[in-house]
Each structure stands twice: as structure tokens, then as C-alpha cells.
Amino acid sequence: MINAAVLMLRLALKVKNDNAIELRDMVDTVRDFEVVRTFPQLLSVLLETLRTHGPCLKKDTTEYQYRRAIVETIHRIPFTEAMRTSSTSFAACVINIVTQDCEENSVTILRSLNDFLRVFKQFEDGTTKELYLTFFQLLRNMPVLIQQYLSEESPLIDPNAVVPSTQSLKVMSELPFVLLLLVQGNQI
């Protein structure tokens, strides 16, 4: 009975993953007049889905692929004025992903935040502070990360391994671009 329930959950997640991948691919084909009507609702649903489905740090799982497809879909959505109402939930999602998720999702969501800031020029003060604190934490982790990944004695890294965003040099290199836009928007 328990095995049947686990199988049903895996199948349901597989169907969700397939739908998320199809949705990600469809975002690029939506016409301009449909954008204003559909994307704000889509963004809200995607952010809520990310909030309710926690991060997965195993690359070969359906959960990881599902979450990755949702983050990529958010990245493909062009931000419009109609999406300003989702800025609070988007801010919470960005902080959640950057502090708890894997490096691929964090880099992608930071690029989405970069696009968001280019359109709206402002962001929530609490989120700005959290991003700075995250950046400072990454800076404090730098000596350990350098020793772990770049030293002569460091072991080879498994290409299928998922690096947490708080231990990622890629996230460390992407965050300054976002922080620069925040400074330019006088949000220091």
C-alpha cells in the first residue's frame, strides 16, 4: 500500500515536471497582447509553487528538474508594469532561492532579478539588506571555498554534484551585478 502511494506521488511529480517543461517552452511563443493578461497570474502561481516545494540538492531527481524548470520559466517571463503587484512575493522567492537552493537556480533567479530591476528600478528595502548580508556571507566563505575548489590538493568535483548557493563562486560572481543596480537605484 505504501509503495503504491509512493509510486503515485512520483508519477504525479513526473506529470508536473513534464507540464512545467512544456510551459517553460511556451512562454517564448506568447504574443504581446497576451502578456499583460496572462503573465502576472502565471508569475504568481510559479512563485507560490516555488514557495511550497522546497529545494532539492540531488541533480538526478525529478524534484530537482521540476524546480529547475519553474525557475527557468520565471527567467523567461518578461517583466511588465502589471507585475509590480508580485514584487513582494518575487523578493521573498529571490531571497529563499539565493540562501537555500542550488547554484544553478540561484544564478538564474539573480539574472531574473537583474531584469526586474532594469524595468522597475526599485526593490524592497528588506530584500536589499538580505542580498547584501548574503553577499557578505559569501565573502566570509571565500577562503574556505578557494581552498575547497581551487587549491592543488582539492579533489575533483563530480559534474553531477549540486553545489549549494551559499558555497558557490558563480553566485558570488553574479550578486555584484544585482547589487550594482540596487546602488544605482539609490537603494543602499
Side-chain angles (χ1 to χ4, degrees):
M1 184 68 172
I2 292 175
N3 289 337
V6 170
L7 181 61
M8 291 296 287
L9 288 174
R10 286 187 183 157
L11 286 175
L13 187 60
K14 175 71 173 133
V15 170
K16 285 181 182 180
N17 184 45
D18 292 344
N19 289 337
I21 290 170
E22 187 175 332
L23 179 64
R24 178 195 64 201
D25 296 338
M26 286 176 26
V27 165
D28 295 331
T29 62
V30 175
R31 289 183 216 92
D32 289 338
F33 67 88
E34 295 173 333
V35 168
V36 175
R37 192 181 84 245
T38 58
F39 282 166
Q41 292 86 6
L42 177 62
L43 181 63
S44 297
V45 170
L46 293 174
L47 293 173
E48 179 63 23
T49 303
L50 284 176
R51 190 184 67 75
T52 57
H53 289 81
C56 182
L57 298 177
K58 294 182 180 178
K59 205 175 228 179
D60 58 349
T61 63
T62 306
E63 291 91 351
Y64 176 86
Q65 295 168 359
Y66 177 58
R67 191 165 173 87
R68 184 80 188 123
I70 291 172
V71 170
E72 287 176 359
T73 303
I74 291 172
H75 181 62
R76 290 181 182 196
I77 294 175
F79 290 104
T80 62
E81 188 61 36
M83 294 180 188
R84 189 178 292 274
T85 58
S86 298
S87 66
T88 303
S89 56
F90 183 64
C93 179
V94 167
I95 293 301
N96 183 13
I97 290 175
V98 170
T99 58
Q100 297 178 13
D101 213 322
C102 65
E103 87 178 341
E104 290 91 357
N105 287 344
S106 295
V107 167
T108 303
I109 206 72
L110 284 171
R111 289 179 181 160
S112 295
L113 177 57
N114 205 337
D115 295 341
F116 180 92
L117 290 171
R118 287 185 181 148
V119 172
F120 296 116
K121 308 286 188 232
Q122 295 180 346
F123 211 53
E124 307 220 351
D125 290 336
T127 304
T128 302
K129 182 180 177 184
E130 288 289 326
L131 286 171
Y132 275 104
L133 291 173
T134 302
F135 182 68
F136 293 142
Q137 180 64 39
L138 282 166
L139 285 174
R140 284 190 291 275
N141 291 344
M142 186 56 61
V144 174
L145 293 175
I146 289 173
Q147 186 65 30
Q148 182 179 353
Y149 295 121
L150 302 176
S151 73
E152 297 274 335
E153 299 83 34
S154 63
L156 291 176
I157 299 172
D158 180 14
N160 291 326
V162 176
V163 178
S165 60
T166 55
Q167 299 175 4
S168 169
L169 297 172
K170 287 181 184 178
V171 173
M172 169 96 179
S173 66
E174 196 69 33
L175 254 174
F177 294 112
V178 171
L179 297 176
L180 178 64
L181 283 175
L182 290 170
V183 168
Q184 287 177 341
N186 296 323
Q187 293 199 18
I188 51 175

